[in-house]
């Protein structure tokens, strides 16, 4: 009998934001898989550390953080092979996913490699956007308004164009692009309407108006911008 593959969303970092379904699946798992930056601990595993049972087999995918796609793709190829081997042996495999598996999640690379051969179930998780909005006390959209999600690495001109045409904006993957993003928002005259959040839900969380944000930002940081005065009224 072939095993089942689960992509389990863990939420943004606080283990208490893990869903009940995620907790149950992980606590009963004989095999768990997760990505890790090569040479570093896995953030996904850290979120679920207290739930993983002693003796569970762990499949670690060491993913290099490089601009070139080939090294990361090779890591997912290798991880998919190990996962497939466990599935063929009749074992279910729980893949730990930061945030939500299908929202900028690395799980999708495994899904593309395995979903045509094995049964796959995706367990959604709390996203970083909703977490950041909650921690900032910042309603994002109401009624027929639109939320635009942008990745920080976009070129400056494209960021400007997309922010100009948006109503509410969530800019993810801020990191080393903070200065560029802050400059774009400031030149558009929206700096007073923007909030900066880093490591949302974690003990070292930072929530500040964008004007007071630090000069450097970690990868897990976000900028939220709403143009209306009180869009939820």
């Amino acid at each position: 009998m072939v095993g089942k593959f689960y992509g389990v969303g863990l939420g943004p970092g606080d283990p208490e934001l893990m869903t009940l379904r995620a907790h149950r699946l992980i606590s009963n798992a004989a095999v768990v898989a997760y990505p890790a930056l090569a040479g570093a601990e896995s953030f996904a595993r850290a979120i679920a550390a207290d739930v993983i049972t002693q003796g569970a087999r762990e499949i670690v995918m060491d993913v290099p953080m490089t601009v070139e796609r080939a090294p990361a793709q090779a890591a997912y190829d290798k991880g998919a092979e190990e996962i497939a081997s466990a599935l063929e042996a009749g074992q279910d495999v729980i893949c730990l996913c930061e945030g939500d598996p299908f929202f900028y999640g690395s799980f999708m690379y495994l899904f593309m490699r395995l979903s045509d051969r094995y049964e796959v179930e995706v367990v959604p998780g709390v996203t970083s956007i909703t977490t950041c909005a909650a921690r900032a006390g910042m309603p994002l959209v109401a009624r027929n308004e639109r939320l635009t999600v942008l990745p920080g690495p976009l070129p400056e001109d494209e960021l400007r164009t997309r922010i100009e045409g948006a109503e509410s904006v969530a800019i993810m993957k801020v990191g080393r692009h903070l200065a560029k993003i802050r400059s774009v928002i400031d030149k558009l005259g929206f700096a007073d309407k923007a909030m900066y959040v880093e490591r949302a839900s974690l003990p070292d969380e930072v929530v500040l108006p964008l004007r007071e944000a630090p000069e450097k930002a970690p990868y897990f940081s976000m900028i939220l911008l709403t143009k209306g005065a009180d869009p939820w009224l």
Side-chain angles (χ1 to χ4, degrees):
M1 185 175 179
V2 177
K4 185 174 179 180
F5 186 37
Y6 294 84
V8 177
L10 301 173
D14 182 349
E16 291 191 349
L17 291 177
M18 200 184 308
T19 66
L20 291 174
R21 181 160 180 76
H23 190 284
R24 178 175 61 80
L25 286 169
I26 297 167
S27 62
N28 290 317
V31 184
V32 294
Y34 49 84
L37 291 180
E41 294 184 2
S42 167
F43 181 45
R45 192 197 186 286
I47 297 172
D50 291 339
V51 187
I52 298 172
T53 58
Q54 186 175 5
R57 177 188 172 193
E58 300 187 24
I59 298 174
V60 185
M61 292 165 281
D62 288 316
V63 182
M65 183 60 76
T66 61
V67 176
E68 295 77 16
R69 291 179 57 84
Q73 295 305 313
Y76 290 120
D77 285 341
K78 182 176 182 294
E81 289 178 4
E82 292 187 61
I83 292 167
S85 178
L87 295 172
E88 290 291 344
Q91 296 178 302
D92 293 341
V93 179
I94 308 299
C95 185
L96 308 179
C97 312
E98 302 158 14
D100 180 272
F102 278 174
F103 187 73
Y104 287 107
S106 57
F107 173 77
M108 64 184 68
Y109 304 123
L110 297 169
F111 180 83
M112 290 186 291
R113 287 165 168 78
L114 297 168
S115 60
D116 60 339
R117 293 180 284 155
Y118 303 100
E119 183 181 2
V120 180
E121 180 178 329
V122 179
V123 179
V126 176
T127 70
S128 56
I129 288 179
T130 51
T131 305
C132 287
R135 299 303 298 155
M138 191 172 184
L140 293 177
V141 284
R143 299 189 294 276
N144 296 323
E145 292 175 335
R146 298 163 296 167
L147 173 64
T148 300
V149 181
L150 302 174
L154 286 177
E156 186 172 338
D157 289 345
E158 186 171 357
L159 272 175
R160 181 183 297 107
T161 299
R162 290 182 179 270
I163 293 172
E164 279 183 311
E167 293 167 329
S168 291
V169 182
I171 305 174
M172 304 180 62
K173 305 180 183 180
V174 173
R176 59 189 177 87
H177 305 281
L178 175 59
K180 172 189 67 179
I181 298 167
R182 190 187 340 230
S183 175
V184 169
I185 292 174
D186 191 51
K187 289 176 181 176
L188 288 171
F190 298 134
D192 290 334
K193 298 178 180 294
M195 291 291 291
Y196 168 84
V197 185
E198 70 177 55
R199 299 187 177 93
S201 84
L202 295 173
D204 54 351
E205 168 189 278
V206 175
V207 181
L208 294 169
L210 180 58
R211 288 196 183 279
E212 300 175 17
E215 293 301 316
K216 294 183 178 180
Y219 179 81
F220 291 110
S221 55
M222 185 178 303
I223 294 171
L224 301 177
L225 166 65
T226 57
K227 294 182 180 179
D230 289 308
W232 53 92
L233 297 181

